[in-house]
Amino acid sequence: MALSFNIKYFNGFHRAVNCCKLLSYEPCRHLSRLQFHTNSVKLEDGASGAGSGGFGPPFGLEFGDDYLSTNYGCLSDLVNISSTPPKNARVVVCGGGMVGTAILYHLAKLGWANDVVLIDKENLGSETSWRGSGFLGGVKLSKVEMQTQIRTQALVQELSEQGHDTGWQQTGSLHLARCKPRLTYFRKKKAISQARGTECHMLSPEEVKDLCPLLNTDDLVGGMWVPHDGVCHPYKLTRTLMQLANKMGAEVVEQCELSKVVVKDHRVVGVETNKGIIECEIFVNAAGTWARHVGLLSEPCVRVPIHPAHHYCLETFPLDNVNFTMPAIRDPDGCIYLREYCGGLMAGTFELNSIPALVPGISDLRSPTDRVVGPDWDHFQPALSQILRRVPSAARATLRKLDNSPCGYSPDGKWIMGMSAEVDNYYVAAGLKNGGSNAALGLGEMLAVWMTEGAPPMDAYELEVSRFLPAHNNYKFLSDRVTEVPGAHYHIQYPFPDFQSARCLRMSPIFPRMKQQGAVFGQVMGYERPSYFQDLNSSDDRQEAPFTPTKNDSFSLPPWFQFTEREYKACRETCGLLDYSSFSKFDIYSQDESVVSWLQYLCSNDVDIPVGGIIHTGLQNQWGGYENDCSLARTAPNHYMMIAPTIQQTRCNAWLRRHVPKDGSIICNDVTSMFTAICIMGPKSKAVLSAVTDFDLSLKSFPFFSFREIDVGFANGVRAMNLTHTGELGWVLYIPNEFALHVYESLQRAGEPHGLRPAGYYAMRSLRIERFYAFWGQDLDSATTPLECGRAFRVKLDKPIEFIGRDALLRQRETGAKRLYVQLVLDDHDHRVDAWPWGGEPIYRNGQFVGVTTTTGYGFSLRNLVCLGFIRHYNSKGEMVAVEPDYVLDGVYEVDIAGIRYPASVSLRSPTLPATEAISDERYLATQLLT
């Protein structure tokens, strides 16, 4: 039986009519499962339907218990599914979706097959990820994301070549652009992807049409073609992974509901389920949409900030002009994707304004249908319009189904993985959006290596769960943010991307005053930090100033350039006032002086300095990389204050906790929220600060890199440090919060005669890039060593206490570093019209790709764009070898900015900038090579 119908949009919606056909789906089995909704639908042949009403086409397909076995064969015929779990296991993986199955598979491959068990509350195969889009490949600006996708695709191809059923097809991927900024974004992606070995081609609209004739290209300005990408069948791939892991000895238990993760001394020791207790050493939370709920099942709880949103995906029956050679299509300006699926079309959307999904708790799930939300055709209409616009022939398609499944998203839209900050040996893998086929195998391999070898195969901080704070796990915050995150998946990633939702979470006491002064705020770790200060139209201080978040929409000269320039000049020529409150702050102390020995073990520099001194040091891991880069001020013989990067707050706290003595002799307190930090910077800073304090600020009394507790205005107990983290003259004042507004206004009044101006993060960034200062999370990471970034002078290999990572650094000193940190100044670049480098651009030496920029910015003193990054040395065989300074300095360099290579001059030392006042010749160089 076939019924034709018109979908009409009533209740104030567009009355657009889409002509489609309805065919029963497997009528001999599922005709009884069809529901006809007639309130808003006209059946052209006069047929009547029964149903519960509600807007939508006259059909609805419910997945019965036999849906998966009917279409793909019974899973129990391929996998030995246990009815009861073992009493003991080294690893328990919770979640039978694609990610959990990929972790199970990789652990089995690495030799842990007999020590790992996967548990799932439901029948395996009902997870959302088993019904994902199946896209593989694509291009990313992020190295770790791109490498994960490349590795995932390679593993799927390997399995397919070995004869396993994965549904792999090398279709290539076609990325469409409707505007010129999107083309620029594609060129940036192409530049770095091609440098790293992924073939990409820019296409004209005509070439797009030739490649995929069914597409309407009238509104396109071009596209990008990645020929070696492809697609897979998510169910077949996941089933194959589970089957292979099971054959190697890994155990799988379904209908096994987790009730508690047992923790002792902040370490996993077991899990409790409805089928008994499993003693284990490692627990993996791969529960997908329910990862946040699972995180709450331990004490202390593990915060996994995931919230689901509705994700729509439409499937049609076979079409005449669609076959398996059709490219995987991404149309980001229309927020849609398309691919061939079983001879028809699969089309989905990442909506700009998503609807949070109210997913039932784990214990409330009764069947696979509880995981699927009924489709809302009104809500899907904008996406459907975009699909029909791109593929007009889809209007003649016979609809198979419209699926609406909840997909979990993190607050920043990136995947979540790694070991939790709260509990040791508790790993997380979640937030893979629509199923995870594009990353699951690569992510699973990374986590498996992490568990078996103690560290991931590459730095993955931007994906680690430790990038979040407890506040990010707030349900209201997550439900507010998730309305925006799915749509951001297809946004053009302009510089300094930020979200507009869930703002004003963390604010310093001076936030209202800065807002009144015209501050435009960016959010970092939930903290509202001024990016720059714009001119205000009103001078009425009594008028409430609006909150203005940053919004950048250019790859060239940014709209805030003039504001940042005047703030930069204030910091260099007169005086600037900056809010550093977001910096992570820790008080570390002991009853006796044992804290000194403990910090000597953690830190690579010699921290046994006089009371009142400040030392810059790294906290290295066992491979010599930076787990943290910080400043330590010794405030008393048994007390230090640690200042670390903003994004390090959770990560640093976890690192300290894991190494603190169990006897409680060392205390580490996170005091980030107790102090407001104000930096007063510039050649006039001494005159301004002297006007509000009676403390002697002379170099004799208060030298560089020293700490004093002073009074400012009427306030006492202000922790003052003579440094600025940019190389400029000045102080950072750590002020008890109740005094912060008073101190800020006192400095403002005292600074007026000296030309004091409030300044934001963008000015600070330009200052430190020009001075060749490296920042953790932007230039440094857990894989970067001091010998690679010009900071060997901060490492004391001969100090009496052997620190973590010392042996690795000694070995690297003997063999030589295989990359070096450099500063590049563009030589033939017009900052007014040319595209700017924003980080992630390929660096070429003598025409050979040798590295990537990390951070970039305009140098207002150097009067040009400045790029920081790392240079590698490849021999004739393409192998990385030790990099010598002469090799770096002898080369001819270019930086590829969106497909155009600009010549650049290279340096290995912090530059000498024009002096703004007479200072000592003994300047501090943040980056230098030891000879």
Side-chain angles (χ1 to χ4, degrees):
M1 178 182 69
L3 303 176
S4 62
F5 64 94
N6 293 335
I7 306 176
K8 294 190 177 181
Y9 294 86
F10 291 91
N11 302 322
F13 287 88
H14 297 91
R15 299 178 62 88
V17 177
N18 296 301
C19 297
C20 304
K21 294 179 180 179
L22 171 67
L23 291 179
S24 58
Y25 181 64
E26 297 198 10
C28 61
R29 275 190 171 274
H30 291 284
L31 186 59
S32 63
R33 300 188 187 281
L34 295 177
Q35 298 176 349
F36 293 83
H37 303 288
T38 59
N39 287 13
S40 304
V41 177
K42 175 183 176 182
L43 303 181
E44 291 186 339
D45 67 349
S48 61
S52 58
F55 183 77
F59 73 99
L61 179 63
E62 294 183 349
F63 294 126
D65 295 337
D66 59 347
Y67 169 74
L68 294 172
S69 60
T70 298
N71 289 278
Y72 305 110
C74 185
L75 188 64
S76 60
D77 292 340
L78 304 172
V79 179
N80 181 19
I81 299 176
S82 303
S83 58
T84 58
K87 299 294 183 182
N88 299 278
R90 178 179 284 187
V91 184
V92 173
V93 179
C94 177
M98 187 178 290
V99 179
T101 305
I103 294 169
L104 183 78
Y105 167 74
H106 283 297
L107 285 172
K109 277 187 68 178
L110 291 172
W112 285 21
N114 295 320
D115 295 317
V116 59
V117 58
L118 183 147
I119 62 173
D120 194 281
K121 181 187 183 296
E122 296 297 334
N123 293 324
L124 292 165
S126 59
E127 290 75 8
T128 302
S129 60
W130 290 57
R131 302 191 304 275
S133 65
F135 277 48
L136 292 168
V139 290
K140 295 277 190 179
L141 293 178
S142 161
K143 179 180 179 180
V144 64
E145 289 182 313
M146 187 65 184
Q147 290 297 106
T148 302
Q149 290 186 173
I150 289 173
R151 186 60 183 150
T152 295
Q153 180 175 322
L155 289 166
V156 174
Q157 287 181 256
E158 288 176 16
L159 290 170
S160 182
E161 290 167 0
Q162 293 166 7
H164 300 295
D165 190 6
T166 65
W168 160 254
Q169 292 287 345
Q170 183 177 319
T171 61
S173 64
L174 188 55
H175 304 249
L176 309 180
R178 303 187 188 186
C179 59
K180 290 183 178 179
R182 178 73 65 179
L183 273 185
T184 301
Y185 184 45
F186 285 171
R187 290 190 183 102
K188 286 173 64 68
K189 285 184 168 185
K190 174 181 178 287
I192 186 59
S193 299
Q194 204 154 262
R196 287 176 170 152
T198 298
E199 183 182 351
C200 302
H201 302 277
M202 300 302 298
L203 303 179
S204 66
E206 294 75 21
E207 290 170 321
V208 170
K209 185 73 172 180
D210 290 342
L211 198 60
C212 190
L214 64 84
L215 295 181
N216 169 28
T217 60
D218 292 346
D219 59 345
L220 299 184
V221 296
M224 181 173 64
W225 168 240
V226 188
H228 296 289
D229 284 354
V231 295
C232 69
H233 192 298
Y235 184 92
K236 293 179 179 180
L237 173 60
T238 311
R239 180 187 63 185
T240 294
L241 294 174
M242 185 168 289
Q243 181 184 7
L244 293 173
N246 190 238
K247 283 184 177 179
M248 286 184 275
E251 196 163 350
V252 178
V253 186
E254 59 183 12
Q255 297 289 329
C256 186
E257 182 178 354
L258 179 74
S259 58
K260 184 177 181 179
V261 179
V262 184
V263 177
K264 184 177 181 181
D265 295 329
H266 287 273
R267 195 174 190 86
V268 170
V269 295
V271 299
E272 295 180 4
T273 76
N274 63 326
K275 293 188 174 183
I277 296 174
I278 310 172
E279 294 182 4
C280 64
E281 301 172 11
I282 298 172
F283 176 76
V284 183
N285 181 348
T289 300
W290 292 272
R292 181 178 180 273
H293 295 279
V294 170
L296 302 177
L297 299 179
S298 64
E299 180 58 44
C301 70
V302 170
R303 298 172 179 90
V304 185
I306 289 288
H307 197 290
H310 294 295
H311 182 87
Y312 283 87
C313 188
L314 179 147
E315 295 177 20
T316 76
F317 280 97
L319 283 166
D320 291 339
N321 57 346
V322 174
N323 58 56
F324 67 89
T325 63
M326 173 185 168
I329 296 167
R330 295 173 175 88
D331 186 359
D333 295 314
C335 303
I336 59 172
Y337 61 84
L338 306 105
R339 61 160 290 192
E340 179 274 341
Y341 187 76
C342 298
L345 281 179
M346 174 190 286
T349 177
F350 288 97
E351 303 163 276
L352 291 177
N353 299 296
S354 296
I355 299 177
L358 300 176
V359 176
I362 299 172
S363 60
D364 298 324
L365 296 175
R366 292 292 175 265
S367 71
T369 56
D370 292 335
R371 301 172 186 262
V372 182
V373 186
D376 181 343
W377 281 87
D378 283 349
H379 188 73
F380 185 66
Q381 189 272 335
L384 181 60
S385 297
Q386 294 295 330
I387 294 167
L388 295 175
R389 174 183 183 177
R390 186 58 56 220
V391 186
S393 60
R396 301 189 302 272
T398 301
L399 297 178
R400 184 191 298 270
K401 67 173 180 176
L402 176 65
D403 184 54
N404 178 16
S405 299
C407 292
Y409 296 87
S410 69
D412 59 6
K414 292 180 178 288
W415 314 320
I416 296 180
M417 54 85 72
M419 185 157 61
S420 76
E422 298 89 353
V423 178
D424 295 342
N425 281 2
Y426 187 125
Y427 291 84
V428 177
L432 271 73
K433 306 171 188 175
N434 181 26
S437 58
N438 213 8
L441 265 76
L443 208 63
E445 184 178 50
M446 191 183 302
L447 275 173
V449 171
W450 195 336
M451 287 178 241
T452 56
E453 298 185 10
M458 69 177 76
D459 179 81
Y461 168 74
E462 64 182 275
L463 304 180
E464 290 181 29
V465 67
S466 60
R467 72 185 187 269
F468 296 113
L469 291 167
H472 288 121
N473 205 43
N474 178 282
Y475 185 81
K476 181 65 176 70
F477 170 87
L478 290 170
S479 60
D480 193 28
R481 174 60 59 83
V482 81
T483 61
E484 185 182 3
V485 173
H489 179 67
Y490 276 159
H491 280 178
I492 298 173
Q493 293 298 305
Y494 288 114
F496 311 118
D498 217 336
F499 290 94
Q500 307 301 302
S501 58
R503 298 297 295 266
C504 297
L505 174 61
R506 302 175 75 197
M507 297 164 286
S508 71
I510 62 176
F511 170 82
R513 185 72 183 106
M514 293 187 297
K515 189 172 65 165
Q516 219 169 22
Q517 293 173 308
V520 178
F521 294 93
Q523 192 178 58
V524 55
M525 290 293 275
Y527 224 107
E528 298 297 347
R529 176 178 65 183
S531 297
Y532 61 95
F533 288 79
Q534 62 184 351
D535 296 323
L536 292 179
N537 296 325
S538 173
S539 59
D540 187 357
D541 289 346
R542 295 169 299 177
Q543 183 177 345
E544 176 69 20
F547 169 74
T548 308
T550 56
K551 188 174 182 180
N552 299 301
D553 56 2
S554 174
F555 291 114
S556 301
L557 183 72
W560 39 261
F561 181 82
Q562 59 176 328
F563 304 122
T564 300
E565 181 178 23
R566 70 187 185 189
E567 293 167 20
Y568 171 97
K569 288 182 176 179
C571 294
R572 287 275 294 146
E573 298 172 5
T574 57
C575 190
L577 210 56
L578 300 92
D579 184 8
Y580 280 12
S581 301
S582 65
F583 280 12
S584 303
K585 316 169 193 77
F586 299 90
D587 271 347
I588 305 171
Y589 56 92
S590 59
Q591 290 286 344
D592 51 20
E593 294 188 28
S594 59
V595 67
V596 181
S597 299
W598 182 68
L599 284 173
Q600 289 282 53
Y601 168 68
L602 286 185
C603 301
S604 53
N605 208 339
D606 187 352
V607 303
D608 192 3
I609 56 177
V611 173
I614 299 174
I615 193 78
H616 290 318
T617 183
L619 278 68
Q620 321 304 139
N621 53 38
Q622 60 181 309
W623 295 275
Y626 280 96
E627 285 298 323
N628 184 17
D629 181 49
C630 67
S631 299
L632 278 173
R634 193 170 187 180
T635 62
N638 63 336
H639 193 157
Y640 289 80
M641 184 179 187
M642 176 184 286
I643 308 299
T646 301
I647 59 174
Q648 275 272 7
Q649 186 173 351
T650 301
R651 181 188 180 98
C652 184
N653 203 2
W655 186 260
L656 295 175
R657 178 190 60 77
R658 289 182 183 127
H659 291 89
V660 75
K662 303 301 182 185
D663 60 8
S665 59
I666 308 294
I667 305 298
C668 301
N669 287 331
D670 184 347
V671 296
T672 302
S673 298
M674 292 176 59
F675 294 92
T676 298
I678 298 175
C679 178
I680 180 168
M681 182 192 305
K684 302 298 183 183
S685 58
K686 181 178 178 181
V688 175
L689 187 56
S690 294
V692 293
T693 184
D694 57 0
F695 195 89
D696 182 4
L697 300 180
S698 67
L699 286 177
K700 182 178 179 180
S701 177
F702 201 164
F704 296 130
F705 299 108
S706 65
F707 161 90
R708 302 289 186 269
E709 191 168 290
I710 66 174
D711 295 343
V712 179
F714 302 149
N716 68 303
V718 176
R719 301 180 180 184
M721 299 187 188
N722 191 342
L723 49 72
T724 62
H725 303 287
T726 64
E728 302 300 323
L729 300 172
W731 287 264
V732 181
L733 310 177
Y734 292 91
I735 310 156
N737 281 335
E738 65 267 30
F739 299 140
L741 186 58
H742 166 73
V743 171
Y744 186 76
E745 293 182 339
S746 298
L747 291 169
Q748 287 275 356
R749 289 191 295 269
E752 285 181 6
H754 301 283
L756 180 144
R757 177 180 291 277
Y761 167 71
Y762 293 168
M764 176 205 177
R765 192 172 186 272
S766 289
L767 288 162
R768 72 97 175 166
I769 290 172
E770 199 170 41
R771 289 282 193 183
F772 203 4
Y773 271 51
F775 270 26
W776 197 96
Q778 299 178 44
D779 308 290
L780 312 179
D781 56 32
S782 62
T784 307
T785 73
L787 279 67
E788 296 169 348
C789 63
R791 293 188 174 188
F793 69 97
R794 292 186 182 178
V795 177
K796 301 301 183 284
L797 294 168
D798 57 351
K799 67 179 183 178
I801 295 179
E802 184 174 323
F803 59 89
I804 299 173
R806 176 178 176 272
D807 290 343
L809 295 179
L810 284 171
R811 288 192 298 271
Q812 189 178 55
R813 187 175 68 173
E814 293 300 317
T815 60
K818 293 186 178 180
R819 60 176 185 158
L820 286 180
Y821 190 49
V822 301
Q823 184 184 64
L824 294 159
V825 179
L826 301 188
D827 292 330
D828 187 16
H829 182 279
D830 188 340
H831 73 276
R832 295 165 297 180
V833 295
D834 292 332
W836 282 27
W838 294 102
E841 289 80 17
I843 301 170
Y844 291 87
R845 177 189 180 275
N846 297 345
Q848 181 187 26
F849 172 63
V850 292
V852 178
T853 63
T854 51
T855 49
T856 62
Y858 188 80
F860 292 97
S861 292
L862 297 175
R863 297 182 181 276
N864 217 329
L865 271 298
V866 181
C867 303
L868 309 182
F870 287 88
I871 297 298
R872 296 170 174 81
H873 183 186
Y874 296 94
N875 62 19
S876 58
K877 298 179 181 179
E879 301 166 334
M880 282 179 60
V881 296
V883 186
E884 298 296 335
D886 289 345
Y887 169 84
V888 174
L889 299 175
D890 287 345
V892 176
Y893 289 88
E894 296 172 304
V895 177
D896 188 328
I897 305 174
I900 300 176
R901 295 189 187 182
Y902 294 90
S905 302
V906 70
S907 176
L908 289 166
R909 289 168 58 90
S910 295
T912 300
L913 301 180
T916 53
E917 70 168 17
I919 60 174
S920 170
D921 289 334
E922 297 180 0
R923 292 189 308 115
Y924 174 76
L925 300 180
T927 304
Q928 53 183 287
L929 286 179
L930 293 180
T931 57

